[in-house]
Amino acid sequence: MLTIQQIKENPGRTIERLAIKGFDGKEPINKVLELDDKRRAVQLENDNISAELNKLSAQIGALMKQGKREEAEEAKNKVAQLKNQLKGVADTLAATEAEIREILLSVPNLPCDAVPAGLTAADNVVEKTGGPMPDLPEDALPHWELAKKYNLIDFDLGVKITGAGFPVYLGKGARLQRALIQFFLDEAGRAGYLEVQPPYVVNEASGYGTGQLPDKEGQMYHCNLDNLYLIPTAEVPVTNLYRDVIIAERDLPIKNCAYSACFRREAGSYGKDVRGLNRLHQFDKVEIVRIEKPENSYAALEEMKDHVQGLLEKLGLPWHILRLCGGDMSFTSAITFDFEVWSGAQKRWLEVSSVSNFETYQANRLKCRYRGEDKKTRLCHTLNGSALALPRIMAALLENNQTPEGIVVPEVLRPYTGFDIIN
């Protein structure tokens, strides 16, 4: 969440930048400033009463030693009154701080200056394009038909077992899925990311820490009995490894990667664009997460983008990078770049990765800080990216590599699959 200091430095600019995300910040920002003035006044009163208590407590002992019992009793009565007064002030302080936090939790992150204005995906900016476009016949099959033809994925079995959006991978389809996961993890390892195997469920504090909670869109699966949440991405448990942690400056940057299943309700998603692997409730993904000093985070963001681009190039997929406009960004992000691949049979671009810098927004929620050589603690910057999400990669690979003889496996995956072609 935003820090009070960020807001106080330039309230007008804060409101202006929030408007880039389509968020009217005037009322909540002004309310936070008003409550912060109240908080500081109450804090001062709290400190003054505490100081008076300490002074009187020291006097009582001295008065008793001097035999001044009547004066000592008066001081004790005054201490009792001050303690009652202090409790009321402390309760007011806690309530004010809680109200400030509640408001700040509802305010999105500020988009950085590089974020373009705009409200929808139509306003996103194409930054870069690469990769060979497939030369396919007009009757090229979409991936859901290829999956059925070669017995790779059974969508109906998934519906039987669980429901729509939970596919069952079979035979070479399962092997190709596992090959992609291992390839992505190996590439992340070579890039210096430490692999982590996190839990697939998190507690409420973890959800708040990375900004998934409060869940306004109801996209998270909630286990009511235990008050736990199925993770929508490995970003949540991996970033929360550093919740309430003060990191030594010498240990930065921190680079982690993790494979996990991801669970998303995808409420409100309907139509032809959700067919097959295009939009699932459960899918696999390899995530990269970085904890950085603020002055290094944008260089780290470029490194992460290069890493994702390199994966797509090695897979031989056509890709482009989008710089998202304010209205199409996530609640928590300061800037996001989406990678999309071309789906040859569907003739449309499919998102396969989002790479984001959250600056101090998540770190402030997490209380993730680092201690510099000057012994002062400062908030870190957090970043993450999909490297990569599997369903649409699988869809593009099947569609773009189909031939009359079968589906050609990209060369880079063959050591993992053990086969060159699916037929």
Side-chain angles (χ1 to χ4, degrees):
M1 59 190 174
L2 300 180
T3 66
I4 298 290
Q5 189 60 36
Q6 271 180 295
I7 295 170
K8 290 172 70 174
E9 281 176 0
N10 197 331
R13 185 178 184 280
T14 299
I15 294 168
E16 287 174 9
R17 294 311 297 169
L18 287 171
I20 297 292
K21 281 192 170 183
F23 183 86
D24 185 357
K26 186 174 181 180
E27 184 177 337
I29 295 304
N30 288 337
K31 185 64 176 177
V32 164
L33 292 173
E34 176 190 322
L35 286 169
D36 187 58
D37 287 341
K38 177 182 177 181
R39 181 196 63 78
R40 287 187 292 116
V42 175
Q43 182 68 63
L44 180 61
E45 185 180 1
N46 184 86
D47 293 345
N48 289 339
I49 294 172
S50 296
E52 183 66 17
L53 272 171
N54 291 336
K55 180 180 175 183
L56 282 171
S57 296
Q59 287 176 354
I60 289 170
L63 289 170
M64 292 295 287
K65 285 182 180 179
Q66 296 168 16
K68 299 178 179 180
R69 294 184 176 276
E70 188 173 331
E71 292 180 41
E73 286 300 318
E74 287 179 8
K76 287 180 182 180
N77 290 335
K78 181 64 174 175
V79 164
Q81 292 172 12
L82 287 173
K83 282 184 175 178
N84 285 332
Q85 188 178 345
L86 184 64
K87 184 182 183 307
V89 171
D91 288 345
T92 300
L93 181 61
T96 305
E97 289 174 341
E99 191 174 354
I100 291 172
R101 178 176 171 79
E102 192 66 26
I103 294 171
L104 288 178
L105 285 172
S106 72
V107 177
N109 197 3
L110 301 183
C112 77
D113 291 339
V115 172
L119 297 177
T120 69
D123 300 310
N124 295 336
V125 177
V126 178
E127 291 263 314
K128 197 175 181 182
T129 301
M133 295 295 284
D135 183 17
L136 297 175
E138 280 300 316
D139 61 350
L141 298 177
H143 68 270
W144 54 87
E145 292 187 24
L146 292 167
K148 186 173 183 178
K149 178 179 178 179
Y150 295 107
N151 196 31
L152 304 175
I153 307 166
D154 195 319
F155 296 100
D156 293 333
L157 268 180
V159 172
K160 172 186 174 182
I161 296 167
T162 309
F166 295 88
V168 175
Y169 296 85
L170 304 167
K172 288 186 176 180
R175 186 68 177 262
L176 181 58
Q177 180 89 342
R178 184 155 46 91
L180 283 165
I181 293 166
Q182 193 59 59
F183 168 62
F184 294 152
L185 285 172
D186 286 351
E187 289 293 299
R190 280 188 278 271
Y193 290 88
L194 175 69
E195 184 177 349
V196 176
Q197 192 172 71
Y200 289 178
V201 293
V202 294
N203 57 29
E204 199 171 63
S206 295
Y208 275 98
T210 44
Q212 277 69 33
L213 293 177
D215 183 14
K216 301 176 187 63
E217 294 80 26
Q219 295 292 2
M220 295 180 76
Y221 284 101
H222 185 209
C223 307
N224 294 315
L225 186 62
D226 303 296
N227 197 27
L228 296 174
Y229 294 83
L230 295 179
I231 61 171
T233 166
E235 164 204 343
V236 181
V238 174
T239 311
N240 269 280
L241 295 174
Y242 307 98
R243 175 158 45 92
D244 297 322
V245 172
I246 298 176
I247 303 162
E249 185 176 6
R250 64 179 178 275
D251 293 331
L252 292 174
I254 289 172
K255 300 170 65 176
N256 290 152
C257 68
Y259 155 73
S260 78
C262 303
F263 304 88
R264 299 182 186 180
R265 293 186 61 246
E266 297 291 1
S269 297
Y270 307 103
K272 64 181 177 62
D273 290 345
V274 304
R275 193 167 180 185
L277 297 171
N278 288 343
R279 195 171 295 276
L280 301 176
H281 295 303
Q282 178 183 323
F283 63 94
D284 294 317
K285 181 155 67 81
V286 172
E287 189 81 359
I288 52 176
V289 173
R290 293 178 69 146
I291 313 291
E292 294 277 351
K293 291 173 62 178
E295 59 266 33
N296 298 335
S297 70
Y298 277 89
L301 182 67
E302 291 304 310
E303 286 182 22
M304 295 169 75
K305 287 165 58 184
D306 289 344
H307 178 74
V308 174
Q309 179 182 321
L311 296 176
L312 296 175
E313 288 175 343
K314 288 176 181 178
L315 291 172
L317 291 170
W319 54 269
H320 67 200
I321 305 174
L322 301 174
R323 179 157 45 103
L324 299 193
C325 70
D328 201 33
M329 288 170 59
S330 76
F331 187 85
T332 52
S333 172
I335 188 168
T336 295
F337 293 89
D338 273 4
F339 286 75
E340 297 183 333
V341 296
W342 180 251
S343 170
Q346 298 180 76
K347 294 182 172 55
R348 57 189 290 255
W349 292 97
L350 304 175
E351 180 195 333
V352 294
S353 174
S354 286
V355 181
S356 301
N357 189 345
F358 302 92
E359 296 187 356
T360 60
Y361 190 86
Q362 287 183 332
N364 190 35
R365 287 175 171 237
L366 294 158
K367 297 295 176 267
C368 173
R369 295 160 288 174
Y370 75 96
R371 179 173 281 115
E373 294 180 2
D374 58 3
K375 306 303 180 185
K376 293 182 179 179
T377 59
R378 300 172 178 86
L379 290 172
C380 299
H381 277 196
T382 64
L383 306 92
N384 67 53
S386 314
L388 288 157
L390 273 74
R392 294 169 192 155
I393 289 289
M394 177 82 88
L397 286 176
L398 295 180
E399 293 182 13
N400 296 357
N401 295 322
Q402 59 183 296
T403 71
E405 290 74 35
I407 300 168
V408 178
V409 176
E411 189 173 344
V412 73
L413 294 178
R414 293 174 190 174
Y416 299 97
T417 60
F419 50 84
D420 300 349
I421 192 166
I422 298 171
N423 52 26

